[in-house]
Amino acid sequence: MVLDPFSGAATTGLAARQLGRCYLGIDLNREFHDIGLRRLGLSAQDIGRAA
């Protein structure tokens, strides 16, 4: 499990996925959060589901 409390645009999340790891990203900035979701191929409806 990779925890990124300052995930920004989810670059760490992309790397975690490539390595077969689970990823949990947190960011207070909604714009960065939304960018990260798009980069990971997720939508707001997917939040809270395993990806």
Side-chain angles (χ1 to χ4, degrees):
M1 170 61 80
V2 176
L3 172 63
D4 186 2
F6 306 99
S7 64
T11 301
T12 301
L14 292 170
R17 278 189 162 185
Q18 289 177 346
L19 295 171
R21 304 282 197 267
C22 294
Y23 167 73
L24 176 61
I26 304 166
D27 205 291
L28 293 176
N29 184 320
R30 186 168 205 59
E31 290 180 33
F32 282 125
H33 177 75
D34 292 343
I35 291 168
L37 286 176
R38 282 194 302 275
R39 290 182 75 196
L40 291 167
L42 301 172
S43 69
Q45 294 173 344
D46 295 321
I47 295 173
R49 297 182 189 162

